[in-house]
């Protein structure tokens, strides 16, 4: 647990639980978000990420535990008195006010002078590059521009922490990708702590310094994007983040020198792990870590499906033992493989992650 006076911690949850009746939405969460960090709560629908954000904002009060902002316990402080601002997916702009007046609105509530309202609202609009559209009404803006106006309104009060609940969810894919990069660049420039909620793992990987992957009201892995992608700590994380091949295996021997596993009709040695000879295991490997080709020690398969994705080819192989492997390779302009074609599939054992087999997530 962090020192409460530590200026490096912007948001802290200590043993926070939230129950709605007998249902536990957030289950004893301990979390410290660093000042200036782009922190993402990621997970499937219903995992508790929005409730966690609402607990930080003060829209919900914890059933148990404490919420601290900048080292101060705000568990009992109402939302409007907390030094945070929330941006929602539906931009919630006032349709009858101009963009400038929308952005100035929080300052009007605080009864700042007209001149100061205008100056600060214009500065916020410049941050999101909307200064040229200050006089328009929200209906005269595109979806991306409306979202930027909502961001400017959130930034105008200079919050220490910005809470963002699926803020890009209503945008089409191309704009969403552009806004991801813009939002990340803006966060770096302003140095404000962002707590971002999304169910989109690719968005989380692109934008975040750290990600808390949630399931059933708990954090199952808190990690950097590379940590979560390259070293998932559970089958759930391996499957939720990116595409993953799950292959059935059996432990031949296990000791300090390594774990010998039989899979795809081959034996291979993996780093030591807490499994015993005879255990059924699941091995996870990313599609881009598989290669076509390899010597006679590489398992053989037959190409079943081929998808052309522009930059990449996605190839699905049926292996000799019946398992199915997805392989991705860059479109290097070489000849296309043809369905039905046999190939050996090579990979390095160090790219395999080993998990005890979960009967609910059996490999195909
Ligand atoms: P989504 O991506 O669908 O918004 P989420 O991960 O943000 O999902 P939450 O909104 O935090 O999930 O909800 C977590 C669980 O708590 C869900 O099962 C939800 O139905 C339940 N829940 C949330 N708010 C309430 C409430 N006010 N009363 C009762 N149950 C609630």
């Amino acid at each position: 647990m962090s020192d409460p006076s530590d200026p490096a911690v912007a948001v802290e949850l200590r043993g926070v639980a939230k129950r709605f009746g007998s249902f536990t939405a957030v289950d004893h969460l301990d979390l410290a978000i660093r000042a200036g960090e782009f922190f993402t709560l990621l997970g499937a629908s219903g995992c508790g990420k929005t409730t966690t954000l609402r607990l930080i904002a003060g829209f919900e009060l914890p059933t148990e535990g404490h919420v601290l902002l900048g080292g101060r316990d705000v568990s009992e402080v109402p939302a409007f008195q907390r030094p945070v601002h929330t941006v929602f997916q539906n931009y919630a702009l006032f349709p009858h006010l101009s963009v400038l007046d929308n952005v100035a609105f929080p300052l009007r509530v605080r009864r700042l002078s007209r001149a100061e309202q205008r100056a600060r609202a214009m500065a916020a609009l410049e941050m999101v590059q909307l200064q040229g559209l200050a006089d328009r009404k929200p209906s005269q803006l595109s979806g991306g521009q409306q979202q930027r106006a909502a961001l400017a309104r959130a930034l105008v009060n200079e919050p220490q922490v910005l809470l963002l609940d699926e803020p890009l969810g209503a945008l089409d894919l191309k704009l969403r990708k552009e806004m991801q990069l813009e939002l990340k660049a803006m966060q770096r420039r302003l140095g404000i702590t962002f707590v971002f909620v999304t169910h989109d793992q690719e968005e989380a990987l692109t934008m975040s310094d750290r990600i808390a992957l949630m399931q059933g009201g708990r954090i199952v892995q808190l990690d950097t994007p590379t940590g979560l992608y390259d070293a998932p700590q559970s089958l759930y994380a391996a499957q939720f983040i990116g595409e993953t091949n799950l292959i059935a295996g059996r432990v031949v021997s296990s000791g300090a020198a390594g774990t010998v596993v039989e899979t795809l009709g081959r034996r291979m040695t993996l780093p030591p792990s807490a499994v015993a000879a005879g255990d059924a295991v699941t091995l996870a490997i990313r599609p881009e870590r598989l290669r076509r080709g390899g010597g006679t020690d590489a398992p053989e398969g037959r190409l079943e499906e081929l998808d052309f994705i522009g930059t990449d080819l996605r190839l699905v192989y049926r292996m000799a033992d019946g398992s199915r492997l997805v392989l991705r390779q860059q479109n290097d302009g070489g000849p296309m493989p043809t369905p039905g074609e046999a190939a050996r599939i090579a990979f390095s054992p160090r790219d395999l992650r080993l998990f005890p087999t979960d009967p609910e997530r059996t490999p195909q």
Side-chain angles (χ1 to χ4, degrees):
M1 201 55 36
S2 72
D3 169 359
S5 59
D6 184 354
V9 176
V11 179
E12 192 173 340
L13 303 183
R14 290 190 186 167
V16 167
K18 180 66 187 175
R19 284 187 280 279
F20 297 106
S22 61
F23 179 77
T24 302
V26 170
D27 199 3
H28 293 98
L29 226 56
D30 287 306
L31 179 63
I33 300 174
R34 299 175 196 133
E37 187 168 36
F38 197 124
F39 191 92
T40 297
L41 298 163
L42 171 70
S45 181
C47 71
K49 52 196 188 298
T50 297
T51 304
T52 304
L53 200 77
R54 290 171 62 81
L55 285 161
I56 299 171
F59 300 134
E60 301 286 358
L61 296 180
T63 315
E64 276 177 50
H66 297 271
V67 178
L68 288 85
L69 293 174
R72 187 164 75 98
D73 192 332
V74 296
S75 308
E76 303 297 324
V77 175
F80 71 95
Q81 285 177 347
R82 296 192 186 188
V84 301
H85 195 106
T86 311
V87 180
F88 299 98
Q89 179 177 342
N90 56 352
Y91 324 117
L93 295 170
F94 300 115
H96 58 288
L97 295 184
S98 69
V99 169
L100 183 71
D101 288 342
N102 260 288
V103 175
F105 189 79
L107 306 175
R108 203 165 105 197
V109 173
R110 285 172 50 200
R111 297 175 193 277
L112 266 60
S113 73
R114 291 286 297 169
E116 188 159 8
Q117 283 180 33
R118 195 186 154 79
R120 286 178 55 174
M122 279 309 287
L125 282 172
E126 271 169 37
M127 282 180 211
V128 299
Q129 286 154 13
L130 271 191
Q131 62 274 30
L133 304 181
D135 295 328
R136 290 209 190 160
K137 291 274 162 54
S139 61
Q140 297 169 312
L141 300 181
S142 71
Q145 289 165 341
Q146 288 184 38
Q147 188 51 286
R148 274 193 249 155
L151 269 173
R153 190 177 54 187
L155 295 170
V156 80
N157 266 337
E158 297 169 8
Q160 293 164 17
V161 178
L162 202 58
L163 307 174
L164 302 111
D165 192 359
E166 305 248 5
L168 310 180
L171 305 178
D172 67 54
L173 187 65
K174 188 158 185 291
L175 188 57
R176 189 176 175 132
K177 298 246 178 239
E178 278 170 29
M179 282 295 289
Q180 285 173 6
L181 301 176
E182 244 179 63
L183 204 56
K184 182 174 166 176
M186 193 192 306
Q187 189 268 343
R188 295 274 139 84
R189 207 167 60 236
L190 300 175
I192 296 176
T193 310
F194 274 31
V195 186
F196 190 88
V197 161
T198 185
H199 63 271
D200 180 336
Q201 47 90 21
E202 217 174 282
E203 185 162 283
L205 292 178
T206 307
M207 303 180 80
S208 319
D209 294 315
R210 284 192 305 159
I211 300 169
L213 176 63
M214 294 184 69
Q215 185 192 20
R218 290 171 176 267
I219 295 176
V220 290
Q221 190 167 349
L222 199 164
D223 218 325
T224 59
T226 44
L228 208 49
Y229 188 83
D230 288 332
Q233 301 296 307
S234 59
L235 263 181
Y236 181 78
Q239 281 192 299
F240 193 85
I241 308 291
E243 194 171 18
T244 303
N245 290 296
L246 298 182
I247 320 165
R250 189 158 293 280
V251 178
V252 177
S253 67
S254 176
T259 306
V260 178
V261 176
E262 203 164 71
T263 184
L264 298 168
R266 301 285 187 282
R267 281 189 178 193
M268 45 196 86
T269 306
L270 307 184
S273 75
V275 287
D279 280 0
V281 289
T282 300
L283 299 147
I285 187 164
R286 299 291 184 191
E288 69 276 16
R289 299 294 169 96
L290 299 173
R291 292 180 311 281
R292 284 192 297 146
T296 49
D297 55 336
E300 199 169 18
R302 200 166 283 284
L303 183 61
E304 272 192 351
E305 289 168 40
L306 182 152
D307 291 311
F308 177 72
I309 320 179
T311 54
D312 281 30
L313 300 178
R314 182 177 177 278
L315 308 165
V316 181
Y317 283 90
R318 184 66 59 184
M319 306 305 290
D321 73 342
S323 51
R324 182 176 175 272
L325 286 185
V326 177
L327 178 155
R328 260 185 190 257
Q329 71 173 59
Q330 249 183 1
N331 173 14
D332 58 6
M336 288 277 181
T338 45
E341 190 181 283
R344 290 200 180 269
I345 305 297
F347 54 87
S348 162
R350 73 165 183 272
D351 289 329
L352 287 170
R353 299 277 164 268
L354 181 149
F355 300 103
T357 290
D358 175 346
E360 285 177 23
R361 295 176 193 280
T362 41
Q364 292 168 327

